[in-house]
Amino acid sequence: MTTYTPRELAAELGYTNESRPGKVVREYLREKYPEHTGLWELDETQADDVRANVPRAS
């Protein structure tokens, strides 16, 4: 099973100059899954949700 980190997804979405890589994705995930604690390892379904709901960097 493939897993993704917020850093990987942020880079895929074009967020390459963040001071904390993956921050924009983690912020979205914290809103969506407020009960989650610890490190984020996203499955394909969760990664697709991030891709659909976090805007690409401009």
Side-chain angles (χ1 to χ4, degrees), residues 3-42:
T3 60
Y4 301 87
T5 65
R7 178 184 285 217
E8 292 169 327
L9 290 171
E12 183 180 318
L13 294 170
Y15 293 92
T16 56
N17 292 323
E18 291 182 298
S19 60
R20 294 178 55 205
K23 183 177 181 220
V24 68
V25 173
R26 286 190 306 278
E27 287 173 350
Y28 170 76
L29 292 169
R30 285 186 195 115
E31 285 185 28
K32 177 122 180 154
Y33 306 102
E35 72 286 350
H36 178 83
T37 59
L39 297 176
W40 292 98
E41 287 193 2
L42 309 174

